[in-house]
């Protein structure tokens, strides 16, 4: 082992700069610019700003915006979890009503909801006799509310303290139509799969969206916890058929001239997939939508002559297409090329990449810890950072599979996330 | 046998002033008429009741006698127990220990049956014969319409004038009889009544906000292709259906869309929700109230095991 390490050091020191750049090309082209550099710059800037606040004694921002809010919970067969979710939300905000849509459950979910509503005003229970999919369930709530803000929460999630207060604050600005909350792992320590996902959520959702928000490139609001201006939602007629309906709605809102914001301390704790198979399927579903929506349905955002063209929308879509599709292909092609052309040093190359990725992760996770509300917990989650590069290889595989099957077979339109009668009727982009 | 000690001054007022006839079965030994109502005056000319014209059968079952006070209350302080001596279609003879007088003329007589249960009947005490350490008493069963525990008296009936359920006897009297073990209470119903006057209201589904019944339900259309859910009126154009979101024309129900029931809307206050609420309107005092404000009252009825003398007769 020691000999191998010595050999590796000898090999590494023998490399010239351009050779190192060539070997680390995926990191330098994809991962470093997309997350690491920006995150670190943002973090350094915030540290400087926070230090300045100490000296000039700035007042912390208060919750001074209190619009009426309608919480929408749409679920299918969530009888076991929805009771806790409703309890965790109810009463955390003064001007609140709740609309719960049962999308044809058979597990007694509606009875749970009705019992909850019995003793509370402003709770509306809606039941669809036939399953219509998540989009139609969310849209079902629209005719029933006149609240200014619609807050969508997954039926198996819990909100953090002051989450509703946090998420409605950006709506002070009249052109903000959607605000994404931060989705945090609720079950990080169940097994290795959830633990690694927890790291990923902190890095890509908590930290990554903070950066996207500041660059005005945020193109998604999590279905698990997101807020929307009701008038804007009604203007674009709500959600389209999924999967990927959350991202699609955000793009349509941006097309209509609205802004999308992220609120990192509006936190929602959600259950992550426990099994590897579940995770693989979930990620494929997420990545199908990049092809369906960014590459097909909303490709007009790349057209500078289109009426809805804006620079930020252009970069938002371009970023998704380039990083999620183009660079995924490039990564695997480059990896195969590297294996063939430098096969005598494959192990050394892999080790070099692994070390580079791990260092990059540590830097980014340091930024996560700076912003974290629960550093003790997040530090514990971060103990598995050395495994993250391997986990990202798994995610890249899922993305590659998803992109290929969506491009070649329009796989998303055969997915049972949407019921068959809706799949057969909807537009196949 | 003539009772020479009957104290009625006026034969026509004495309940025992009916000519006596030969009795069958046991005869009482020589006795005195001792009506307990107190209004009787001693009168040797008081005539015998006609109960002895009926066929009588000797029995020796235990019995209890509960005097009936004003307004149908039991005199719980003077309940007597003893043994029945004979029974006929119209009356019964029994013996009770001691010389305490029965407090009232009207009594409820209870006879223990062979299976250990008590059966009751209302009766009028016709004569009392004092013995050495007991009293022999003859009582006549009251006709059916004068029985204390008629259905009208012990079962709740709807009073159309007051819009309430009532019993012939007061609830307190019925409870007192239940405490004596004569009546058995049974839940008849639980009903929702006006919280103000406890009268029966009429019910309708109405607006939970203002109570108005002038509400309408919107019909929604769910277009499968774009997941749009909107009011049916938004879809209607020139006789066909057109999705306001995706502009798809000539929608076909079942294939392209489904109807969904939409929000209920109140024309009076503008309220909107998914469900109407039961709203009560009291016909007596005119109060309009939400279902959850209604007063729930328990309607109790009572049962009694009635004594049927024919069971004991051949």
């Amino acid at each position: 082992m020691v000999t191998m390490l010595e050999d590796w050091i000898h090999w590494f020191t023998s490399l010239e700069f351009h050779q190192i750049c060539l070997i680390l090309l995926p990191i330098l082209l994809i991962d470093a610019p997309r997350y690491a550099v920006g995150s670190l710059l943002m973090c350094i800037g915030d540290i400087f700003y926070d230090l300045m606040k100490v000296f000039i004694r700035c007042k912390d921002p208060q919750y001074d915006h209190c619009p009426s809010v309608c919480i929408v919970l749409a679920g299918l067969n969530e009888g076991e979890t929805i009771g806790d979710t409703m309890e965790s939300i109810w009463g955390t905000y003064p001007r609140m009503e709740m609309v719960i849509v049962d999308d044809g459950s058979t597990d007694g979910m509606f009875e749970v909801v009705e019992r909850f509503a019995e003793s509370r005003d402003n709770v509306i229970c809606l039941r669809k006799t036939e399953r219509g999919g998540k989009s139609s369930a969310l849209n079902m709530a629209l005719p029933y509310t006149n609240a200014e803000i619609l807050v969508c929460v997954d039926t198996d999630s819990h909100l953090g303290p002051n989450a509703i207060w946090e998420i409605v604050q950006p709506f002070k600005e009249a052109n903000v139509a959607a605000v994404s909350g931060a989705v945090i792992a609720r079950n990080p320590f169940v097994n290795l799969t959830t633990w690694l996902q927890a790291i990923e959520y902190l890095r890509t959702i908590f930290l990554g969206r903070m950066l996207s928000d500041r660059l005005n490139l945020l193109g998604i609001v999590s279905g698990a916890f997101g807020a929307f201006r009701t008038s804007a939602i009604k203007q674009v007629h709500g959600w389209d058929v999924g999967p990927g309906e959350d991202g699609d709605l955000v793009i349509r809102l941006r097309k209509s001239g609205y802004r999308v914001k992220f609120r990192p301390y509006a936190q929602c704790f959600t259950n992550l997939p426990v099994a590897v198979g579940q995770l693989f399927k979930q990620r494929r579903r997420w990545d199908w939508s990049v092809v369906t929506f960014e590459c097909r349905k909303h490709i007009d955002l790349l057209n500078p002559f289109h009426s809805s063209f804006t620079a930020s929308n252009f970069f938002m879509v371009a970023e998704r297409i380039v990083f999620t599709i183009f660079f995924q292909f490039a990564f695997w092609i480059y990896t195969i090329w590297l294996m063939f052309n430098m096969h005598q040093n494959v192990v050394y190359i892999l080790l070099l990449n692994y070390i580079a990725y791990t260092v990059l992760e540590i830097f980014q996770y340091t930024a996560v810890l700076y912003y974290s509300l629960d550093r003790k917990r997040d530090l514990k989650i971060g103990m598995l950072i050395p495994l993250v590069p391997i986990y990202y290889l798994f995610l890249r595989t899922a993305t590659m599979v998803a992109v290929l099957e969506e491009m070649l077979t329009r796989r998303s339109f055969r997915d049972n996330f949407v019921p068959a009668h809706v799949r057969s009727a909807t537009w196949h982009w | 046998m003539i009772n020479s000690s009957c104290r009625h001054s006026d034969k026509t007022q004495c309940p025992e002033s009916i000519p006596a006839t030969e009795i069958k079965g046991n005869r009482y030994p020589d006795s005195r008429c001792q009506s307990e109502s107190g209004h009787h005056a001693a009168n040797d000319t008081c005539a015998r009741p006609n109960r002895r014209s009926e066929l009588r059968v000797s029995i020796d079952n235990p019995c209890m006698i509960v005097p009936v006070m004003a307004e149908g209350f039991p005199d719980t302080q003077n309940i007597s127990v003893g043994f029945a001596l004979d029974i006929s279609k119209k009356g019964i003879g029994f013996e009770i220990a001691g010389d305490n007088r029965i407090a009232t003329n009207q009594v409820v007589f209870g006879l223990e049956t062979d299976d250990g249960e008590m059966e009751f009947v209302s009766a009028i005490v016709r004569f009392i014969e004092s013995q050495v350490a007991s009293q022999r008493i003859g009582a006549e069963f009251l006709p059916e319409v004068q029985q204390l525990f008629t259905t009208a008296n012990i079962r709740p009936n709807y009073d159309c004038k007051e819009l309430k359920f009532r019993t012939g006897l007061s609830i307190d009297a019925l409870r007192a009889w239940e405490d004596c073990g004569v009546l058995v209470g049974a839940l008849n119903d639980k009903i929702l009544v006006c919280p103000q006057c406890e009268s029966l209201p009429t019910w309708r589904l109405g607006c939970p906000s203002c109570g108005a019944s002038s509400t309408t339900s919107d019909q929604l259309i769910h277009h499968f292709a774009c997941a749009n859910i909107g009011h049916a009126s938004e879809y209607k154009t020139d006789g066909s259906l057109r999705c306001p979101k995706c502009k798809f024309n000539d929608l076909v129900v079942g294939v392209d869309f489904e109807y969904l029931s939409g929000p209920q809307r109140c024309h009076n206050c503008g309220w909107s929700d998914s469900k109407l609420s039961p709203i009560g309107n009291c016909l007596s005092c005119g109060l309009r109230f939400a279902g959850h404000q209604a007063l729930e009252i328990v309607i109790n009825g009572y049962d009694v095991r009635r004594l049927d003398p024919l069971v004991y007769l051949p």
Side-chain angles (χ1 to χ4, degrees):
Chain A
M1 185 73 184
V2 176
T3 314
M4 186 184 166
L5 200 60
E6 285 172 355
D7 289 346
W8 181 81
I9 292 169
H10 178 72
W11 170 79
F12 180 69
T13 51
S14 69
L15 290 175
E16 292 184 17
F17 181 71
H18 74 274
Q19 286 177 307
I20 295 174
C21 289
L22 188 67
I23 291 169
L24 297 178
L25 201 62
I27 296 178
L28 296 174
L29 273 180
I30 306 172
D31 300 277
R34 192 179 191 191
Y35 292 118
V37 176
S39 303
L40 287 174
L41 287 176
M42 177 179 71
C43 184
I44 291 165
D46 283 344
I47 290 170
F48 180 72
Y49 177 72
D50 289 343
L51 285 173
M52 290 298 291
K53 277 203 302 187
V54 173
F55 291 112
I56 61 177
R57 292 171 182 268
C58 282
K59 285 175 71 176
D60 285 334
Q62 300 293 314
Y63 298 135
D64 53 358
H65 188 51
C66 183
S68 56
V69 162
C70 174
I71 307 289
V72 179
L73 298 167
L76 171 68
N77 293 331
E78 300 279 7
E80 284 187 11
T81 56
I82 196 164
D84 290 342
T85 305
M86 292 185 295
E87 291 285 355
S88 79
I89 297 170
W90 188 252
T92 59
Y93 185 82
R95 300 179 65 195
M96 178 192 285
E97 62 184 38
M98 199 178 262
V99 177
I100 302 119
V101 186
D102 176 4
D103 193 21
S105 297
T106 54
D107 70 338
M109 172 180 153
F110 192 71
E111 286 69 30
V112 175
V113 172
E114 278 203 315
R115 275 201 298 277
F116 179 82
E118 266 174 14
S119 55
R120 292 167 179 87
D121 291 334
N122 299 329
V123 179
I124 298 176
C125 320
L126 305 175
R127 181 179 220 170
K128 292 182 76 192
T129 49
E130 191 179 5
R131 183 181 163 225
K134 189 178 179 186
S135 303
S136 68
L138 290 167
N139 286 338
M140 181 82 184
L142 294 179
Y144 288 87
T145 181
N146 291 314
E148 296 165 69
I149 307 297
L150 213 63
V151 176
C152 303
V153 184
D154 263 1
T155 46
D156 60 349
S157 302
H158 280 190
L159 297 187
N162 298 323
I164 307 283
W165 276 109
E166 279 281 345
I167 207 166
V168 298
Q169 296 311 307
F171 289 104
K172 274 186 286 193
E173 296 176 45
N175 66 340
V176 172
V179 178
S180 175
V183 181
I184 310 285
R186 190 176 165 194
N187 55 343
F189 306 117
V190 174
N191 58 23
L192 203 62
T193 311
T194 55
W195 201 322
L196 290 167
Q197 286 177 84
I199 297 174
E200 182 207 358
Y201 273 56
L202 284 170
R203 215 205 69 179
T204 59
I205 296 181
F206 181 68
L207 188 66
R209 287 188 188 172
M210 282 171 74
L211 180 63
S212 301
D213 176 41
R214 297 192 190 190
L215 298 173
N216 193 20
L217 295 178
L218 191 60
I220 191 160
V221 168
S222 301
F225 185 37
F228 303 89
R229 194 181 294 279
T230 310
S231 58
I233 288 270
K234 287 183 176 175
Q235 184 187 330
V236 298
H237 295 284
W239 286 261
D240 270 5
V241 174
E245 67 283 345
D246 311 320
D248 171 65
L249 176 66
V250 171
I251 294 174
R252 287 190 289 124
L253 287 170
R254 290 186 65 127
K255 269 184 169 177
S256 303
Y258 291 107
R259 287 196 67 189
V260 180
K261 304 288 284 180
F262 175 68
R263 198 77 177 177
Y265 299 121
Q267 297 190 337
C268 165
F269 296 87
T270 196
N271 286 322
L272 305 178
V274 175
V276 177
Q278 281 179 309
L279 175 64
F280 193 72
K281 189 175 180 182
Q282 183 201 52
R283 294 314 165 94
R284 278 167 57 222
R285 205 174 260 162
W286 287 4
D287 291 330
W288 289 336
S289 62
V290 180
V291 178
T292 312
F293 295 120
E294 273 87 347
C295 293
R296 291 180 182 144
K297 187 176 178 182
H298 301 297
I299 194 70
D300 54 347
L301 288 176
L302 297 179
N303 180 1
F305 302 107
H306 196 271
S307 58
S308 60
F309 179 85
T310 63
S312 65
N313 285 349
F314 175 87
F315 285 116
M316 177 195 71
V317 173
E319 189 255 6
R320 290 271 282 167
I321 292 173
V322 168
F323 283 99
T324 311
I325 299 175
F326 180 73
F327 278 157
Q328 294 303 322
F329 281 101
F331 173 82
W332 289 109
I333 291 168
Y334 170 79
T335 306
I336 293 165
W337 176 84
L338 207 63
M339 296 300 162
F340 275 103
N341 288 281
M342 301 178 80
H343 57 273
Q344 67 276 24
N345 294 319
V346 165
V347 177
Y348 296 154
I349 291 169
L350 288 177
L351 190 58
L352 177 60
N353 271 289
Y354 172 79
I355 291 168
Y357 269 111
T358 307
V359 170
L360 211 62
E361 284 300 320
I362 290 170
F363 277 130
Q364 290 178 87
Y365 208 80
T366 308
V368 168
L369 291 175
Y370 175 72
Y371 293 109
S372 172
L373 284 177
D374 189 351
R375 288 202 180 91
K376 192 177 171 186
R377 177 181 184 267
D378 292 345
L379 196 62
K380 186 180 174 188
I381 290 173
M383 302 304 282
L384 284 192
I385 280 180
L387 294 181
V388 168
I390 300 162
Y391 172 67
Y392 281 146
L393 269 182
F394 167 79
L395 293 185
R396 282 183 197 281
T397 309
T399 303
M400 195 66 199
V401 170
V403 167
L404 280 174
E405 62 187 353
E406 184 60 25
M407 279 181 142
L408 300 175
T409 69
R410 283 186 160 79
R411 176 66 179 81
S412 64
F413 297 106
R414 300 197 306 278
D415 187 59
N416 60 11
F417 180 78
V418 176
H421 69 282
V422 176
R423 287 202 307 266
S424 63
T426 193
W427 324 116
H428 289 199
W429 294 98
Chain B
M1 184 175 288
I2 304 296
N3 184 348
S4 59
S5 64
C6 179
R7 290 172 291 178
H8 279 285
S9 57
D10 182 355
K11 286 182 187 176
T12 58
Q13 290 178 352
C14 176
E16 299 178 353
S17 61
I18 300 167
T21 54
E22 189 65 23
I23 64 165
K24 297 173 182 175
N26 283 358
R27 284 173 179 273
Y28 289 129
D30 188 31
S31 61
R32 292 181 299 116
C33 174
Q34 292 182 338
S35 177
E36 293 294 315
S37 58
H39 68 277
H40 293 150
N43 189 339
D44 287 345
T45 58
C46 186
R48 280 294 188 201
N50 68 349
R51 68 181 183 84
R52 295 188 177 178
S53 63
E54 300 292 335
L55 173 67
R56 288 198 292 159
V57 174
S58 295
I59 54 174
D60 58 357
N61 301 40
C63 65
M64 69 181 281
I65 300 92
V66 185
V68 180
M69 298 199 300
E71 298 180 3
F73 279 85
D75 182 359
T76 53
Q77 303 298 318
N78 293 301
I79 296 174
S80 306
V81 293
F83 285 91
L85 298 171
D86 58 55
I87 188 167
S88 73
K89 186 179 172 185
K90 290 196 173 178
I92 192 160
F94 54 93
E95 184 174 321
I96 57 174
D99 57 357
N100 287 337
R101 301 290 172 84
I102 294 175
T104 61
N105 201 24
Q106 185 179 347
V107 296
V108 167
F109 178 85
L111 184 67
E112 188 176 317
T113 59
D114 293 339
D115 58 6
E117 297 286 341
M118 295 294 285
E119 292 180 336
F120 299 93
V121 65
S122 299
I124 291 283
V125 173
R126 291 303 186 194
F127 70 91
I128 298 173
E129 288 178 355
S130 293
Q131 302 292 305
V132 177
S134 64
Q135 299 172 75
R136 290 192 170 185
I137 300 171
E140 181 186 351
F141 300 139
L142 286 170
E144 185 62 34
V145 291
Q146 292 177 25
Q147 284 286 319
L148 187 62
F149 303 129
T150 57
T151 304
N153 277 351
I154 63 173
R155 308 291 292 187
N157 293 297
Y158 185 59
D159 183 340
C160 300
K161 288 182 181 172
E162 292 193 23
L163 305 173
K164 292 176 181 173
F165 279 95
R166 300 270 189 217
T167 46
L169 288 175
S170 69
I171 293 295
D172 290 338
L174 291 170
R175 283 189 185 138
W177 283 108
E178 185 183 18
D179 293 342
C180 293
V182 176
L183 296 182
V184 178
L187 176 70
N188 200 289
D189 207 350
K190 282 182 181 176
I191 59 170
L192 297 174
V193 295
C194 171
Q196 192 164 275
C197 68
E198 298 190 12
S199 297
L200 275 186
T202 56
W203 293 96
R204 83 264 315 122
L205 290 174
C207 169
S209 175
C210 69
S213 52
S214 58
T215 59
T216 51
S217 170
D218 295 337
Q219 192 173 43
L220 302 177
I221 284 180
H222 168 211
H223 184 209
F224 300 143
C226 65
N228 187 53
I229 293 181
H231 293 96
S233 58
E234 297 169 5
Y235 281 76
K236 285 171 185 160
T237 50
D238 301 332
S240 66
L241 292 174
R242 182 171 191 257
C243 177
K245 181 177 179 180
C246 64
K247 316 299 181 196
F248 191 78
N249 277 315
D250 299 327
L251 301 179
V252 178
V253 67
V255 179
D256 297 316
F257 74 93
E258 65 180 342
Y259 284 110
L260 301 170
S261 59
Q264 302 281 351
R265 292 189 194 281
C266 174
H267 297 303
N268 191 39
C269 68
W271 161 94
S272 173
D273 204 332
S274 62
K275 281 191 296 190
L276 298 173
S277 294
I279 304 293
N281 188 38
C282 180
L283 295 178
S284 180
C285 69
L287 179 71
R288 186 163 278 224
F289 54 93
H292 63 85
Q293 293 175 318
L295 187 68
E296 186 185 69
I297 60 168
V298 176
I299 305 287
N300 275 326
Y302 290 87
D303 290 322
V304 63
R305 281 176 65 111
R306 292 183 190 279
L307 174 65
D308 180 5
L310 295 178
V311 171
Y312 297 90
L313 299 175

